[in-house]
Amino acid sequence: MAKNPNGKPQKRDNALYGATIFFLAACLAEVYLLVLRRYYIHGDVVTEALPWHNRLLIFAGLGAAALVLGVALSVLWKADQRKRLIGWCLIGLGVFFGGGSMLIRLYFESAVTLLSVVVPVTMVLTVIWAFYDRECSVAMTALSGTLILLWMCRRLFNHLTLGLPVKALAVAYVLLLAGLCYLAKNKKLGNLLPPEADLLPIYAAAGLSAAAVVLGLFSAAVAYYAMWALGVVVFALAVYYTVKQL
C-alpha cells in the first residue's frame, strides 16, 4: 500500500512557502520604512516631508483595505493552507501600513526606528515558527518581545509623552507572560503547543523576561544591560534548537 503523501516533506514545503511569503512581505515593509526615513524624517520640510505627511493618510487607508481583504481571503481560503497564507500576509501588511503609518504621523522618527526594529525581528520569528519546535518558537517570541520592550524602555524611559505609556505597556507585558505560563501549565494552549512539548524553555523565557522588564522599569541603564543578558540567552537557545533540528 502506498505511503501517505501528506507527510513531513509536504509540511516542510508548506513551511518554506509560508516563510518565503512572509520574508518578501517584510522586505516590502522595510523598503517602505527606508523611504520614509529618507524623505519624511530627513527630507526637506516643504518639498518632501509635508507631501509625505499627507501620503501617510493614503497609505493608512490602503493598509485598512488590505486588512479587510486579508481577513476575507483567510476565511474564503480556510481549507487551503497555502492560499490562506496570502490572506495572513495581507492582514500583516494591512496592520503595518494602516497602524504603522498613523503611528509614524504621530511620533515621527521614534516610530520609524521602532518599526525598523520590529520588522526584521518579526521576519526572523516567522522562520523560527516555520521550522523549529513550538516550545522554542514560543520562548523566542517572548524573549524577542522583551528585547524590543527593553529597547523602548531604554530610549523612552524619560520621554515626556511616551514614558508613561511605555511603562504601562511593560506592566501589561509582564501580566501577559504570567498568563502564558498559566495557560501552558494547564494545557490550554492545544492549538499552539503539542501535548509532548517541553514547557521548561517557555517557563525560563517568561521568568527571565519578566525579571528583565521589571528591572528595566527602574533604570534605562539596567534595561541596557538586561538586553545584553537576554541576547546571550536568545543566542544560546537558538544554537541549542538548531543543533537539535539537525
Side-chain angles (χ1 to χ4, degrees):
M1 185 174 179
K3 292 183 179 180
N4 184 0
N6 297 322
K8 287 186 177 180
Q10 183 174 356
K11 290 182 179 180
R12 192 171 184 85
D13 289 343
N14 288 337
L16 180 60
Y17 172 78
T20 302
I21 294 295
F22 275 96
F23 175 80
L24 294 175
C27 289
L28 177 62
E30 198 65 34
V31 169
Y32 176 64
L33 292 173
L34 289 174
V35 171
L36 285 179
R37 186 176 293 276
R38 166 63 180 84
Y39 294 104
Y40 184 54
I41 303 301
H42 300 298
D44 180 77
V45 175
V46 176
T47 61
E48 294 175 334
L50 286 179
W52 272 99
H53 190 71
N54 296 325
R55 289 170 190 162
L56 284 173
L57 289 177
I58 299 176
F59 280 106
L62 292 175
L67 175 61
V68 174
L69 178 61
V71 171
L73 292 179
S74 298
V75 175
L76 181 64
W77 292 335
K78 186 177 181 180
D80 191 324
Q81 188 175 6
R82 286 204 164 197
K83 288 184 177 180
R84 188 176 57 182
L85 284 171
I86 299 176
W88 289 355
C89 287
L90 285 173
I91 291 174
L93 287 175
V95 172
F96 173 80
F97 281 105
S101 296
M102 295 306 298
L103 193 66
I104 292 169
R105 274 178 61 95
L106 291 173
Y107 299 111
F108 301 103
E109 187 172 6
S110 296
V112 172
T113 303
L114 174 62
L115 292 174
S116 298
V117 174
V118 171
V119 168
V121 170
T122 303
M123 183 169 60
V124 173
L125 286 176
T126 300
V127 176
I128 292 175
W129 276 92
F131 297 107
Y132 283 68
D133 294 339
R134 283 302 177 90
E135 59 267 24
C136 172
S137 303
V138 174
M140 291 291 280
T141 300
L143 291 169
S144 299
T146 303
L147 286 171
I148 293 175
L149 186 57
L150 288 173
W151 177 83
M152 293 172 61
C153 289
R154 179 172 174 264
R155 289 181 61 93
L156 305 173
F157 187 80
N158 295 317
H159 198 279
L160 293 178
T161 58
L162 295 178
L164 185 59
V166 167
K167 293 175 183 177
L169 178 63
V171 173
Y173 188 73
V174 172
L175 295 177
L176 181 64
L177 291 173
L180 173 65
C181 292
Y182 173 80
L183 293 175
K185 181 180 179 181
N186 290 276
K187 306 295 183 181
K188 294 184 178 181
L189 295 175
N191 294 329
L192 192 64
L193 293 172
E196 69 277 6
D198 183 9
L199 299 182
L200 181 59
I202 298 176
Y203 292 153
L208 291 173
S209 296
V213 170
V214 171
L215 292 174
L217 286 174
F218 294 98
S219 170
V222 173
Y224 174 77
Y225 289 109
M227 287 175 61
W228 278 101
L230 286 186
V232 174
V233 175
V234 169
F235 178 77
L237 190 65
V239 170
Y240 173 76
Y241 274 96
T242 299
V243 173
K244 185 180 178 182
Q245 294 291 114
L246 297 178

